[in-house]
């Protein structure tokens, strides 16, 4: 056909928002000139996803892929339109499926832009703070990320010279602009007066630092208004850089080394724009993050004046949060008088109270309707049962407390599986029955019917994994008897000779309420007692089991979901990365900061569960279509759900995590996979008073090349930079070591741990680490 088909493919951070806003505003004029540009939505900031949905559809994992049926329909419509000589489609999503587009439409022309990789790196970081909740200061990569350039070079080899229109990205205000370049390809450079407006404005330094600090608070409801204001406040502000001179010099050498390889993609004048961008960055003032409070204070004063309601709402949120001292540095900027704070908090308080009342009414209305499955209606009554609290030294592996009676089923004791092995053996009883038998006889008998909730462990993960699974039979027991209280045995901390304080895990009562146990019904057993009638049921899930949970127990959890209002919410992000970066010193994998940054660049929202309520965490997991997790407590939280619609990818930090969590997730999720090419370094975290390290707080090292291949095949992430990942890994290993080494060497009981850590690093250097920096272990 004597028509042209053109795809503008971005890539990201090369002015696509400005191009799409211009094209969308001029659709009628374009069509009058013979260019068909399909309509699409544009948000209040002028940002859109372009025409992606015109020819793409989500695959089962939620990623946009080329839909050949949609493409055929668009091409046929274009062919039949006598006014249209050019079909123009624009979306950054096309860059990821560029190979598919070229195969499907061999005669298509491609418009794309190359941006200096230094500018790209800074822009991506700015975006991660603006839209993805990043709280971390900028950390430059060891090497430039040339993944976009490589993709364009690959496409160039598949196309004729006249099919590829590649230009240099021009910053707003520089000579020439990206819209004029697109208009030139269309042959319309003289038909339009192109006055490029800046769209998706980068934050000024003060706005960047303010938003980075505010990202630690629950401000998602204010995100849109706050972002719009900070963009407006940033307009016209001077540019700056976050790179020091030494790093820039290294980047300059790297860019010079690849000139011959890539300069063929651009006309000489445009290549000069790309290379000279580095000089312009070097000429900008360098700002060190975290030390310019006066600039931020000025912006906060401006916010207070321009947006008083937004300021007061932020003040209430900031004031109500509990912050470590290091994170509270700007809190004084949001101080209000008592009267002003009361007026600002009142609408939030009323809204929260109305929500809580509705939630309780819904819960109250639905709880009586909870009907237990036949297999869960299995609680049995024990008469004259002694309840022994968890005594000193009790652990999940040796429970020194429980139920004692003349006649009782074995399942009244606590069971778990031994260490994970290829051939799983039968579960073992971990209740110390000898200790129970040695306790004094109890003569006083409490009348009535009670339900045994079991031992509650203070560790959050072990509490969910081992302490809650008897509660599924509570609804059935209530149908047989008037259950007055649920007895739970917390771990105890002795304060004086006879007084003890229960050590409850985080979200203890919230989890029990989710499972149908109101706080008013809970009795924390801290001293031996006898009850007339005790109802006891088996554990519905055992720690380290290799078997999936039963269908009936899964249905019970689904009922808990519905009762708590845990339903998919389209307003929540579809793709999330559940991060452990704040816990580098307490169990993580080295280099996670780079993985987090990489995923943020591919549209993943960085989710830190510790900043959200349990209810909110479950809603995020229920609403997502793609979840990537750094192995941690979030996997235990998912055990509370009966169904997880998302595709789940787990980046392990322990060797057997796939055995531990695989069966639990498989019962709830249709597509789950684990990455486990790793080595675990010796833990250096020692609890005060102990003579050995806590293994759960060890640092792990992932195999870089294997991880790169895995992310490419599993998540279609093809620009993972192994050098940057390894550089971040080296930094994290050194940080972890130096956080503990000095104090450990001063402790005779554990002074050998730092040397064991160093030796292990040396053992895995060639395969997993490359070469660590010289003398990394020295202060």
């Amino acid at each position: 056909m004597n028509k042209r088909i053109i795809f503008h493919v971005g890539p990201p951070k090369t002015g696509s928002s400005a191009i799409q806003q211009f094209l969308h505003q001029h659709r009628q004029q374009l069509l009058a000139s013979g260019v068909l540009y399909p309509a699409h939505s544009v948000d209040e900031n002028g940002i859109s996803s372009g025409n992606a949905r015109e020819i793409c559809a989500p695959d089962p994992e939620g990623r946009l892929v080329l839909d050949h049926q949609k493409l055929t329909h668009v091409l046929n419509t274009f062919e039949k339109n006598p006014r249209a000589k050019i079909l123009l489609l624009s979306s950054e999503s096309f860059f990821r499926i560029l190979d598919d587009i070229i195969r499907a439409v061999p005669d298509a022309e491609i418009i794309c832009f190359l941006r200096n990789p230094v500018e790209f790196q800074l822009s991506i970081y700015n975006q991660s703070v603006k839209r993805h909740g990043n709280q971390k200061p900028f950390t430059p990569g060891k090497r430039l990320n040339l993944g976009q350039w490589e993709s364009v070079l690959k496409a160039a080899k598949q196309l004729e010279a006249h099919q590829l229109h590649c230009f240099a990205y021009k910053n707003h205000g520089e000579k020439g602009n990206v819209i004029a370049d697109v208009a030139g390809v269309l042959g319309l450079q003289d038909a339009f007066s192109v006055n490029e407006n800046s769209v998706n404005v980068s934050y000024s330094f003060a706005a960047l630092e303010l938003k980075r600090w505010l990202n630690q608070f629950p401000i998602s409801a204010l995100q849109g208004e706050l972002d719009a204001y900070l963009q407006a406040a940033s307009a016209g502000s001077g540019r700056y850089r976050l790179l020091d001179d030494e790093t820039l010099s290294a980047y300059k050498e790297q860019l010079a080394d690849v000139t011959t390889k890539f300069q063929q993609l651009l006309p000489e004048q445009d290549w000069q724009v790309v290379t000279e961008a580095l000089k312009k960055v070097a000429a900008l003032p360098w700002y060190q993050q975290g030390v310019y409070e006066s600039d931020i204070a000025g912006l906060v004063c401006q916010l207070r004046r321009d947006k008083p309601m937004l300021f007061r709402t932020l003040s209430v949120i900031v004031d109500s949060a509990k912050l470590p001292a290091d994170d509270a540095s700007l809190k004084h900027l949001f101080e209000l008088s008592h009267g002003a704070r009361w007026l600002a908090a009142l609408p939030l308080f009323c809204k929260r109270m109305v929500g809580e009342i509705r939630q309780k009414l819904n819960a109250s209305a639905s709880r009586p309707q909870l009907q237990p499955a036949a297999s869960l209606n299995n609680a049995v009554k024990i008469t004259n049962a002694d309840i022994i609290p968890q005594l000193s030294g009790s652990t999940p592996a040796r429970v020194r407390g429980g139920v004692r009676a003349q006649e009782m089923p074995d399942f009244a004791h606590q069971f778990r599986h031994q260490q994970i092995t290829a051939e799983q053996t039968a579960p073992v009883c971990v209740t110390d029955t000898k200790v129970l038998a040695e306790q004094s006889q109890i003569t006083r008998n409490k009348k009535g019917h009670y339900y045994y909730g079991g031992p509650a462990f203070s560790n959050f993960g072990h509490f969910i994994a081992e302490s809650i699974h008897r509660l599924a039979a509570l609804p059935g027991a209530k149908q047989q008897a008037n259950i007055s209280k649920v007895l739970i045995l917390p771990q105890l901390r002795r304060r004086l000779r006879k007084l003890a304080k229960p050590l409850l895990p985080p979200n203890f009562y919230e989890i029990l309420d989710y499972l149908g146990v109101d706080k008013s019904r809970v009795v924390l057993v801290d001293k031996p007692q006898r009850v007339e009638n005790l109802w006891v049921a088996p554990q519905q899930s055992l720690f380290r089991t290799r078997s999936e949970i039963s269908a009936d127990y899964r249905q019970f959890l689904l009922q808990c979901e519905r009762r708590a209002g845990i339903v998919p919410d389209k307003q929540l992000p579809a793709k999330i990365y559940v991060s452990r970066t704040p816990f580098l010193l307490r169990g993580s994998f080295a280099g996670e900061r780079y993985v987090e940054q990489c995923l943020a660049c591919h549209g993943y929202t960085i989710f830190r569960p510790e900043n959200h309520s349990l209810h909110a965490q479950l809603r995020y997991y229920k609403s997502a279509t793609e979840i990537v997790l750094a192995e941690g407590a979030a996997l235990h939280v998912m055990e509370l759900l009966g169904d997880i619609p998302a595709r789940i990818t787990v980046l392990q930090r322990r060797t057997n995590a796939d055995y531990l969590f695989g069966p639990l997730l498989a019962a709830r999720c249709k597509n789950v996979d684990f990455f486990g090419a790793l080595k675990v370094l010796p833990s250096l975290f020692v609890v005060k008073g102990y003579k050995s390290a806590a293994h759960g707080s060890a640092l792990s090292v992932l195999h870089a090349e294997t991880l790169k291949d895995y992310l490419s095949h599993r998540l279609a992430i093809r620009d993972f930079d192994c050098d940057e990942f390894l550089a971040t890994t080296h930094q994290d290993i050194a940080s972890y070591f130096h956080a503990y080494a000095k104090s450990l060497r001063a402790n005779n009981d554990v002074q050998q741990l730092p040397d064991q850590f160093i030796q292990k690093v040396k053992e895995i250097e060639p395969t997993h680490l490359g070469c660590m920096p010289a003398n990394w272990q020295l202060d």
Side-chain angles (χ1 to χ4, degrees):
M1 63 183 173
N2 188 24
K3 294 190 173 187
R4 298 170 65 193
I5 303 171
I6 303 176
F7 292 87
H8 165 237
V9 300
K13 309 308 300 178
T14 58
S16 298
S17 295
I19 292 171
Q20 289 158 7
Q21 183 188 53
F22 179 87
L23 295 174
H24 191 268
Q25 290 175 345
H26 295 82
R27 288 182 59 247
Q28 297 303 320
Q29 297 96 313
L30 287 168
L31 186 57
S33 300
V35 178
L36 175 61
Y37 182 72
H40 55 71
S41 61
V42 178
D43 72 11
E44 62 180 347
N45 290 320
I47 301 170
S48 76
S49 59
N51 305 122
R53 298 282 176 175
E54 288 293 313
I55 64 169
C56 294
D59 66 7
E61 286 74 43
R63 296 174 302 176
L64 286 180
V65 296
L66 188 64
D67 186 319
H68 291 274
Q69 185 174 356
K70 281 187 173 184
L71 176 62
T72 300
H73 174 73
V74 170
L75 294 180
N76 289 341
T77 301
F78 168 56
E79 176 65 20
K80 295 175 183 177
N81 189 329
R83 301 175 62 192
K85 305 300 181 185
I86 299 174
L87 171 65
L88 175 61
L89 299 169
S90 172
S91 175
E92 291 180 354
S93 296
F94 296 157
F95 192 74
R96 185 174 54 81
I97 58 170
L98 189 51
D99 290 345
D100 297 332
I101 291 174
I102 293 173
R103 283 194 295 269
V105 192
D107 296 329
E109 300 174 47
I110 305 296
I111 300 176
C112 63
F113 293 85
L114 292 187
R115 186 171 190 176
N116 185 286
V118 177
E119 285 189 324
F120 173 78
Q121 184 179 181
L122 293 169
S123 181
I124 282 291
Y125 173 74
N126 198 290
Q127 186 78 353
S128 73
V129 174
K130 287 174 61 176
R131 300 282 161 75
H132 301 294
N134 190 4
Q135 306 170 32
K136 301 294 183 182
F138 176 70
T139 303
K142 184 177 180 180
R143 299 195 61 81
L144 291 174
N145 186 346
L146 299 173
Q148 290 185 352
W149 290 19
E150 293 284 2
S151 296
V152 174
L153 185 62
K154 179 181 177 183
K157 296 176 181 178
Q158 303 175 61
L159 299 169
E160 299 293 334
H162 71 278
Q163 291 180 268
L164 180 63
H165 308 281
C166 191
F167 302 96
Y169 169 78
K170 291 92 177 174
N171 283 300
H172 180 64
E174 294 180 346
K175 184 178 181 180
N177 62 66
V178 293
I179 298 174
D181 290 331
V182 173
V185 175
L186 303 175
L188 302 177
Q189 60 268 42
D190 298 326
F192 291 94
S193 176
V194 178
N195 293 317
E196 180 192 13
N197 294 318
S198 185
V199 179
N200 196 13
V201 176
S202 290
Y203 284 168
S204 67
F205 181 75
L208 179 79
E209 290 295 89
L210 174 60
K211 182 60 164 56
R212 184 168 70 87
W213 186 79
L214 287 172
N215 280 341
Q216 66 187 299
F217 301 99
I219 59 170
S220 56
L222 306 175
Q223 173 67 30
E225 183 181 5
L226 179 61
D227 178 51
Y229 177 78
L230 292 179
Q231 285 199 63
S234 299
S237 62
R239 295 175 63 199
Y240 56 92
R241 60 179 167 98
L242 303 176
L243 292 163
D244 58 40
D245 293 339
E246 183 179 354
T247 304
L248 279 174
S249 178
Y251 284 167
K252 182 178 180 181
E253 293 179 6
Q254 292 175 31
L255 196 59
D257 291 340
V258 299
T259 295
T260 303
K261 181 178 180 180
F262 292 108
Q263 69 181 137
Q264 59 180 298
L265 296 173
L266 295 173
E268 182 177 351
Q269 184 176 357
D270 273 38
W271 180 255
Q272 188 175 0
V273 171
V274 170
T275 55
E276 288 187 351
L278 190 57
K279 297 179 182 178
K280 294 179 179 178
V281 171
L284 298 175
W286 172 54
Y287 288 155
Q288 184 178 355
Q289 290 177 280
V291 297
Y292 288 88
E293 184 179 324
S294 60
D295 292 346
I296 302 171
L299 179 59
V300 174
C301 289
Q302 182 181 340
L303 171 65
R304 186 173 191 163
R305 181 178 63 251
D306 296 342
K307 293 281 187 177
M309 286 299 297
L310 176 59
F311 173 81
R312 286 197 290 268
T313 305
L314 286 170
S315 295
V316 172
I317 294 173
V318 169
D319 183 68
S320 61
K322 295 180 179 179
L323 295 176
D326 292 345
D327 294 333
S329 56
L330 303 180
K331 194 171 182 177
H332 66 281
L333 299 178
F334 288 88
E335 291 179 352
L336 287 174
S337 66
H338 291 298
R341 185 168 301 284
W342 185 85
L343 289 174
L346 184 60
L348 294 176
F349 174 78
C350 293
K351 185 177 180 180
R352 183 169 63 250
M353 289 300 297
V354 169
E356 290 180 359
I357 291 172
R358 286 177 177 172
Q359 185 175 347
K360 289 182 178 180
L361 289 175
N362 292 336
S364 299
S366 59
R367 282 180 201 256
Q369 302 172 8
L370 188 62
Q371 296 296 322
S375 70
L376 298 185
N377 194 4
N378 56 1
V380 299
K381 183 176 68 172
I382 304 173
T383 58
N384 298 323
D386 292 339
I387 315 299
I388 310 299
Q390 290 196 69
L391 303 175
S392 177
S394 184
T395 69
R398 184 193 177 203
V399 182
R400 306 182 77 239
V403 181
R404 184 181 66 183
Q406 288 187 351
E407 295 184 8
M408 56 179 278
D410 286 341
F411 60 67
H413 295 312
Q414 191 73 7
F415 284 80
R416 57 162 25 192
H417 285 280
Q418 297 282 38
Q419 294 294 330
I420 292 174
T421 59
E423 297 291 335
Q424 187 168 56
T425 57
V428 298
C429 175
V430 293
T431 299
D432 193 330
T433 55
K434 182 179 178 181
V435 168
L436 297 186
E438 292 172 348
Q439 301 308 303
S440 302
Q441 292 298 313
I442 305 169
T443 56
R444 186 179 178 182
N445 202 357
K446 286 189 174 182
K447 301 293 183 180
H449 293 263
Y450 298 83
Y451 190 88
Y452 182 59
F457 304 118
S458 58
N459 178 275
F460 178 73
H462 282 283
F463 173 65
I464 296 179
E466 305 194 63
S467 300
I468 64 174
H469 302 300
R470 300 178 191 271
L471 298 177
L474 178 58
K478 286 181 176 179
Q479 293 182 354
Q480 302 180 62
N482 182 22
I483 306 289
S484 61
K485 298 291 183 180
V486 176
L487 306 181
I488 293 178
L489 283 55
Q491 290 181 294
L492 302 173
R493 175 188 291 134
R494 297 289 174 187
R495 303 176 68 183
L496 297 172
R497 173 172 289 185
K498 293 184 178 181
L499 296 179
K501 177 183 179 182
L503 296 174
L504 300 180
N507 306 110
F508 175 76
Y509 286 110
E510 192 177 359
I511 292 172
L512 293 183
D513 184 71
Y514 174 79
L515 296 170
V517 184
D518 189 84
K519 182 178 180 179
S520 63
R521 297 288 183 181
V522 176
V523 173
L524 302 177
V525 179
D526 60 357
K527 55 187 176 181
Q529 54 188 274
R530 173 174 287 187
V531 297
E532 182 182 37
N533 301 289
L534 181 69
W535 292 80
V536 181
Q539 298 161 255
Q540 285 297 315
S541 181
L542 297 179
F543 185 60
R544 299 197 186 104
T545 182
R546 298 285 290 276
S547 302
E548 296 182 1
I549 59 173
S550 69
D552 286 340
Y553 184 54
R554 179 172 173 270
Q555 286 301 314
F556 166 76
L557 294 174
L558 287 171
Q559 289 176 320
C560 293
E561 286 182 28
R562 290 191 289 271
R563 185 176 57 212
I566 307 299
V567 295
D569 184 348
K570 292 184 179 179
Q571 299 302 313
L572 294 177
K575 296 165 56 174
I576 61 175
Y577 174 66
V578 186
S579 170
R580 281 187 63 84
T581 53
F583 304 102
L584 175 69
L585 302 181
R586 292 301 304 273
S588 185
F589 65 84
E592 187 189 355
R593 288 176 296 129
Y594 174 74
V595 173
E596 179 182 283
Q597 178 184 346
C598 182
L599 289 173
C601 294
H602 286 81
Y604 286 79
T605 294
I606 306 306
F607 183 66
R608 294 187 171 87
E610 66 274 11
N611 295 334
H612 300 268
S613 68
L614 179 79
H615 185 273
Q617 293 175 47
L618 295 175
R619 288 180 60 243
Y620 268 84
Y621 301 147
K622 193 73 175 179
S623 303
T625 58
E626 188 86 51
I627 302 176
V628 183
L629 303 100
E631 178 211 330
L635 288 166
H636 289 296
V637 172
M638 288 181 173
E639 291 187 53
L640 297 173
L641 295 171
D643 176 70
I644 307 174
R647 185 176 76 153
I648 297 177
T649 302
V650 181
L651 304 181
Q652 296 176 218
R653 59 185 177 89
R654 293 174 291 187
T655 307
N656 291 324
D658 50 344
Y659 290 131
L660 179 62
F661 293 106
L664 299 171
L665 292 178
R668 299 162 166 86
C669 173
K670 294 179 181 179
N671 191 326
V672 59
D673 199 53
F674 292 79
F675 176 81
L678 58 89
K679 297 290 185 181
V680 182
L681 298 173
S683 174
L684 297 181
F685 174 69
V686 178
V687 178
K688 185 177 181 180
Y690 281 62
K691 296 182 179 181
S692 61
H695 296 295
S697 297
L699 187 67
S700 300
V701 179
L702 307 187
H703 192 281
E705 290 292 343
T706 307
L707 178 61
K708 177 180 180 179
D709 293 341
Y710 179 82
L711 294 178
S712 177
H713 289 94
R714 176 74 175 171
L715 304 178
I717 293 175
R718 299 187 173 88
D719 57 355
F720 185 87
D721 190 315
C722 286
D723 289 336
E724 287 196 33
F725 174 70
L726 286 174
T728 309
T729 297
H730 296 163
Q731 294 171 8
D732 289 348
I733 290 174
S735 297
Y736 182 87
F737 178 81
H738 290 298
Y740 297 118
K742 185 175 180 180
S743 60
L744 291 177
R745 284 184 167 136
N747 185 336
N748 292 334
D749 293 324
V750 290
Q751 61 183 355
Q752 76 283 359
L753 291 181
D755 290 333
Q756 292 175 1
F757 186 91
I758 294 171
Q759 182 59 37
K760 185 63 176 180
V761 170
K762 290 180 179 179
E763 290 176 6
I764 68 174
E765 263 190 296
T767 56
H768 280 67
L769 285 174
C771 293
M772 287 285 289
N775 299 323
W776 62 269
Q777 72 274 28
L778 300 181
D779 292 333

